[in-house]
Amino acid sequence: MTDPHQPGTPSGTSERDIERRAALAESLGKEVWPADRDALIAKAQEGPAPDRVLSDLQRLPAGQRFENVQQVAEALGLGTEQQRF
């Protein structure tokens, strides 16, 4: 149960960041991990993913391996939760 006195968006994130991360997760699915930028872009293009997702993925550093959407979000500078429940 969530505390009704706490903000709905965790500290360190914005609603926009959450929406962008959700779009990334929806476009990439669970089967792609771990993956580098090129594999993530290829997976998103199969979808097809929204233009914003493809644009975000193209900004990722080449040669870096990502284990999950959280790591992608961090690499993109999206706010991420510091505490997990």
Side-chain angles (χ1 to χ4, degrees):
M1 174 180 243
T2 60
D3 182 348
H5 302 289
Q6 296 295 320
T9 303
S11 177
T13 63
S14 69
E15 286 187 39
R16 183 171 180 249
D17 289 346
I18 291 170
E19 289 171 6
R20 285 175 64 191
R21 192 173 58 199
L24 285 164
E26 183 177 333
S27 297
L28 297 172
K30 296 179 181 180
E31 300 81 28
V32 71
W33 310 105
D36 64 9
R37 178 187 69 186
D38 294 338
L40 295 173
I41 290 170
K43 177 65 176 172
Q45 288 173 332
E46 289 175 10
D51 289 341
R52 179 62 201 208
V53 168
L54 290 170
S55 176
D56 281 343
L57 294 174
Q58 290 168 348
R59 291 185 18 234
L60 292 172
Q64 185 173 342
R65 186 176 170 118
F66 301 94
E67 299 295 323
N68 52 44
V69 171
Q70 182 81 0
Q71 288 183 352
V72 171
E74 289 171 359
L76 293 171
L78 302 178
T80 58
E81 299 96 359
Q82 300 302 314
Q83 177 180 352
R84 301 220 49 176
F85 299 98

